[in-house]
Amino acid sequence: MGDKPRGAALPDLRHLLQTEPGLKQYEGDFRRRYRLFAERLSQLEEAEGDFDHFTQSYQSLGARRQPNNGLLFTEWAPGAKGLFLTGDFNGWEKLSHPFTRKEHGKWELYLPPKRDRSPPVLHKSKLKLIILTENDEYLFRISPWARYVTKRLDSVTYDWIHWDPLHPYLVLHPRPPKQRSLRIYEAHVGIASSEEKIASYQSFTLNLLPRIKHLGYNCIQLMAIMEHAYYASFGYQVTSFFAASSRFGTPEDLKKLVDTAHSLGLTVLLDVVHSHASSNTDDGINQFDGTDSCFFHPGPRGNHSDWGSRIFDYSSWEVSRFLLSNLRWWMEEYRFDGFRFDGVTSMLYHHHGVGMSFSGSYSDYFGMHINEDALIHLMLSNHLLHTLYPECITIAEDVSGMPGLCRPIAAGGLGFDYRLAMAIPDKWIQILKERRDEEWDMADIVYTLTNRRRGERSIAYAESHDQALVGDKSLAFWLMDQEMYTNMSALMPMTVVIDRGIQLHKMIRLLTHSLGGEGYLNFMGNEFGHPEWLDFPRKGNSESYRYARRQYNLVDMQHLRYQQLNAFDRDMNHAEDKHGWLASAPAVVTTINQEDKVIVFERANLVFIFNFHPSCSYTDYRVAAGRLGKLPCLWNIQFLPSLAFCFYVFTSCRFV
């Protein structure tokens, strides 16, 4: 791989330390982290011969068809006493096809082709591994490298399906260029329908992709793609890391979805979960070889107490092989353009962020509570992706504010491109829950939107899937609540609650979009103020799909006011596409007037003026502006006489 560190070369920390002089006392920690990363990379390359080959281990593990149509099965099960393959191909004879033990905990089995030279295991046939433990117990398992798994309606566990189609999907379109500004549409395939059912990859391709393109988003972040046995986990309890979820269709359907998105110029990111794994054993990778360890730490360290899941041993050679190859698999096989890494805070700290407030003290980020194995693993992941795929985008879900998280590895960072600005949606929900309109604190809002590490890019969002889940409310529901069921028709007189809600919904989103970061994210449906929460089928709701859907039919009804919010969201994204404020330097805030409830700032040669006062509007209001001359108005949003909430956006012209 090119551009790799040379031995234990030192990182260039000059820009980092100039930007945050307080980090000078931790210069040794940054150098130590980089040295450990460089040593780990060097060790992997020396032992494996090639880091590129090491990270494509899906070509040497699991089931692979050979040139003669025979099948070679290879598994890593260091704690197993024996390994067997069974399935449709041998009438489910349990012990007739034993593996041979190899070095380093590997096991291998070769099945020759049939007499007619066809593969010994047919496409779509079922397989199972049988593990003989050291206690002479036989366990049924699914290969951790399985590429497709399904579940029958009358079954509680998933089956390993051999996926080897005669005519695999052929890619038609190249990846789009790396986006200058990132406008992300966060989406879950299964709920992308107005009907009370699980939607499909095919329906998403046909119905959602055109909507997303029309709205002006240029990136899709797909959730819950990695197979997960429990639907209500939202995809965050992964059971099969190399399998695309079969609830929504076949692997070829997903490939077509991504390819079609590329044809529309849309970047596609995968929500990847490497921070933990499902504790399932029969259809997960927990206790795969019959031991408590294998992929995970043994004992309490290998269990996440809050999530009920397993924690990877990131120091393990084979875990590195598994997780790094997993990234390559999604990039190569499905042609994703990057990843949103889930649970990065949990990875970075031995305490997993549980019960931590992260006050901003530098001591939060250095010391024995840092999981250096996980930190180095994340550096390896970003090095791999950005070296082999220069256009790749990586986003970290981190609430802690780890310094250097989104700086290049050679500059002392962990290599991510963006971090999620997770404090912003929490602040908006706090304001709507706890404060009257008159009590909104302009300085506090601006501080939250601009409080990010210099030199590190953030993805701003007013709300994501977290705020849509049952137990919470979306912004629209906090603003309009029950009136959304009765007063959203444009055939009825506008009520104060609906007018206030619609206008504040617009203002909150535009302020977040324009001031809060270098990228923007919206969760599906929230662009038009989706009226209800999200709740997956479970025993507690009688397995109902009523709330496990997005009601796009509402925005298609001409007489409903959801169209106003949808149109505003579209115009906001298209304005950003034209003026590029997300890709420009951070905004210069020129006015924060608490009494008048006014915020003014400049960004990308635009002047943004927001009036959050609930009852006062202003004429001839004087604001500071860094540009001279007449300012043409792009947006001038005024509301009912009883409300004063409004905003203006001007283009800036300099007269010479």
Side-chain angles (χ1 to χ4, degrees):
M1 294 175 66
D3 301 325
K4 67 182 180 182
R6 295 182 298 275
L10 296 177
D12 185 352
L13 301 177
R14 286 175 295 179
H15 188 266
L16 174 64
L17 300 182
Q18 287 171 2
T19 304
E20 295 195 54
L23 290 172
K24 180 68 177 177
Q25 61 181 310
Y26 299 104
E27 182 176 354
D29 292 84
F30 284 105
R31 298 196 183 282
R32 168 184 164 78
R33 292 173 181 179
Y34 187 85
R35 176 175 56 80
L36 291 174
F37 155 72
E39 289 175 355
R40 179 71 163 176
L41 180 60
S42 178
Q43 291 166 1
L44 289 171
E45 292 199 324
E46 288 177 10
E48 298 290 336
D50 189 304
F51 191 62
D52 182 29
H53 175 73
F54 176 73
T55 57
Q56 292 188 86
S57 290
Y58 51 82
Q59 296 180 349
S60 58
L61 283 145
R64 295 100 57 216
R65 181 149 55 94
Q66 303 300 295
N68 67 348
N69 273 347
L71 283 174
L72 185 62
F73 295 82
T74 307
E75 299 293 342
W76 178 65
K81 187 176 178 180
L83 211 66
F84 305 86
L85 183 69
T86 187
D88 292 337
F89 78 99
N90 69 352
W92 293 95
E93 287 288 335
K94 293 182 179 179
L95 307 180
S96 62
H97 288 77
F99 283 67
T100 301
R101 187 192 294 269
K102 299 294 183 179
E103 292 183 301
H104 310 300
K106 302 284 177 47
W107 297 80
E108 192 173 278
L109 169 64
Y110 173 71
L111 299 182
K114 296 180 180 179
R115 290 182 178 179
D116 61 1
R117 298 183 181 178
S118 63
V121 178
L122 298 179
H123 173 54
K124 291 187 178 182
S125 60
K126 293 181 182 179
L127 294 169
K128 284 281 188 181
L129 292 172
I130 297 178
I131 305 291
L132 174 61
T133 71
E134 289 294 339
N135 297 325
D136 291 328
E137 181 182 5
Y138 290 97
L139 305 174
F140 283 97
R141 293 290 187 262
I142 291 176
S143 170
W145 303 83
R147 303 178 180 188
Y148 190 55
V149 296
T150 63
K151 184 176 76 70
R152 302 190 315 272
L153 291 177
D154 60 348
S155 176
V156 295
T157 59
Y158 276 72
D159 292 311
W160 174 15
I161 305 298
H162 181 59
W163 191 259
D164 187 17
L166 183 62
H167 301 291
Y169 181 80
L170 297 178
V171 172
L172 300 176
H173 306 285
R175 286 188 169 102
K178 195 169 187 177
Q179 307 291 355
R180 181 177 65 103
S181 297
L182 210 55
R183 302 182 298 275
I184 303 173
Y185 196 84
E186 184 184 33
H188 184 293
V189 171
I191 64 173
S193 169
S194 302
E195 300 178 54
E196 296 182 25
K197 66 176 186 179
I198 296 177
S200 68
Y201 297 126
Q202 291 183 357
S203 66
F204 192 98
T205 303
L206 181 65
N207 300 317
L208 259 292
L209 289 183
R211 285 186 186 271
I212 295 168
K213 178 66 176 179
H214 174 71
L215 284 167
Y217 291 94
N218 58 16
C219 179
I220 305 171
Q221 180 181 297
L222 287 180
M223 311 170 61
I225 295 299
M226 302 167 76
E227 190 61 271
H228 48 291
Y230 184 41
Y231 189 42
S233 74
F234 225 143
Y236 293 121
Q237 296 270 346
V238 175
T239 44
S240 290
F241 284 74
F242 288 81
S245 182
S246 60
R247 286 185 182 86
F248 317 134
T250 69
E252 311 312 300
D253 293 337
L254 176 58
K255 292 173 186 177
K256 183 176 181 179
L257 187 162
V258 175
D259 195 28
T260 305
H262 287 166
S263 75
L264 297 173
L266 298 171
T267 295
V268 188
L269 306 181
L270 175 69
D271 200 344
V272 69
V273 185
H274 284 180
S275 50
H276 64 134
S278 168
S279 59
N280 287 20
T281 54
D282 290 346
D283 52 11
I285 64 173
N286 183 26
Q287 299 181 20
F288 170 67
D289 63 353
T291 70
D292 186 43
S293 51
C294 199
F295 291 97
F296 311 106
H297 287 289
R301 187 180 175 188
N303 294 279
H304 196 297
S305 57
D306 278 19
W307 296 346
S309 54
R310 298 304 311 273
I311 303 298
F312 286 105
D313 179 1
Y314 300 103
S315 68
S316 165
W317 198 276
E318 294 302 324
V319 169
S320 292
R321 183 193 305 277
F322 182 75
L323 295 178
L324 294 175
S325 295
N326 191 233
L327 297 175
R328 291 291 303 275
W329 169 256
W330 293 108
M331 292 292 291
E332 293 286 344
E333 186 73 8
Y334 291 93
R335 300 179 69 252
F336 281 91
D337 303 297
F339 302 93
R340 178 258 199 194
F341 282 72
D342 180 68
V344 169
T345 304
S346 177
M347 296 176 70
L348 290 174
Y349 307 95
H350 290 302
H351 52 61
H352 305 301
V354 177
M356 299 297 296
S357 60
F358 294 108
S359 63
S361 169
Y362 286 133
S363 61
D364 289 343
Y365 312 116
F366 305 94
M368 297 299 293
H369 54 286
I370 302 300
N371 186 344
E372 282 194 334
D373 293 331
L375 187 147
I376 301 308
H377 171 76
L378 289 171
M379 295 173 72
L380 286 170
S381 298
N382 278 303
H383 172 73
L384 162 73
L385 293 169
H386 290 119
T387 302
L388 290 180
Y389 313 97
E391 302 287 284
C392 180
I393 296 169
T394 59
I395 302 172
E397 189 215 21
D398 171 46
V399 72
S400 74
M402 167 71 76
L405 183 73
C406 299
R407 288 183 180 272
I409 294 171
L414 272 66
F416 285 99
D417 295 299
Y418 300 88
R419 60 156 44 92
L420 293 177
M422 301 179 71
I424 295 176
D426 291 343
K427 175 57 64 177
W428 286 125
I429 294 298
Q430 179 196 20
I431 291 171
L432 295 177
K433 287 173 65 174
E434 300 176 3
R435 296 182 182 177
R436 297 178 300 148
D437 294 345
E438 296 82 0
E439 297 172 342
W440 285 31
D441 187 332
M442 299 296 102
D444 186 39
I445 291 172
V446 170
Y447 174 79
T448 302
L449 288 167
T450 58
N451 180 29
R452 51 190 185 270
R453 296 200 177 280
R454 289 178 57 196
E456 301 189 39
R457 293 181 293 180
S458 295
I459 302 292
Y461 56 107
E463 54 185 336
S464 71
H465 66 271
D466 290 325
Q467 287 72 41
L469 289 171
V470 65
D472 205 342
K473 298 180 182 179
S474 66
L475 287 180
F477 222 58
W478 277 112
L479 288 163
M480 294 174 278
D481 207 55
Q482 296 300 315
E483 285 208 22
M484 296 191 77
Y485 293 118
T486 57
N487 296 327
M488 286 297 281
S489 172
L491 304 178
M492 301 174 59
M494 176 77 82
T495 68
V496 171
V497 169
I498 295 297
D499 188 53
R500 169 187 177 273
I502 287 177
Q503 313 318 337
L504 280 178
H505 193 273
K506 294 177 181 178
M507 292 175 68
I508 287 170
R509 296 170 77 80
L510 177 60
L511 182 59
T512 302
H513 201 307
S514 55
L515 185 60
E518 291 71 39
Y520 178 76
L521 178 143
N522 166 69
F523 178 63
M524 60 191 307
N526 288 346
E527 68 274 9
F528 63 84
H530 197 279
E532 291 175 333
W533 55 90
L534 185 61
D535 190 13
F536 285 89
R538 53 190 175 84
K539 290 182 179 179
N541 63 13
S542 302
E543 304 295 337
S544 171
Y545 285 86
R546 179 178 178 182
Y547 298 110
R549 58 182 177 139
R550 298 275 93 179
Q551 298 181 57
Y552 288 99
N553 57 305
L554 296 175
V555 79
D556 293 335
M557 297 181 185
Q558 298 293 325
H559 69 287
L560 295 183
R561 293 189 168 101
Y562 296 103
Q563 284 206 341
Q564 299 175 28
L565 295 174
N566 196 69
F568 176 81
D569 199 76
R570 178 199 63 214
D571 293 345
M572 178 174 66
N573 283 321
H574 283 289
E576 196 290 323
D577 185 54
K578 178 180 179 180
H579 296 281
W581 60 71
L582 290 172
S584 71
V588 176
V589 180
T590 57
T591 302
I592 303 175
N593 191 313
Q594 177 61 21
E595 183 177 354
D596 294 344
K597 294 287 188 287
V598 170
I599 297 170
V600 183
F601 59 90
E602 297 182 49
R603 192 175 187 187
N605 293 325
L606 299 174
V607 178
F608 295 81
I609 304 174
F610 291 83
N611 174 18
F612 280 96
H613 203 290
S615 58
C616 293
S617 59
Y618 308 103
T619 57
D620 299 325
Y621 196 89
R622 295 174 65 88
V623 299
R627 300 284 183 177
L628 302 176
K630 202 167 184 180
L631 306 180
C633 187
L634 295 183
W635 270 325
N636 175 3
I637 308 298
Q638 302 270 10
F639 313 128
L640 286 180
S642 59
L643 298 172
F645 305 117
C646 62
F647 63 84
Y648 306 82
V649 181
F650 298 93
T651 57
S652 298
C653 303
R654 182 183 292 278
F655 288 170
V656 180

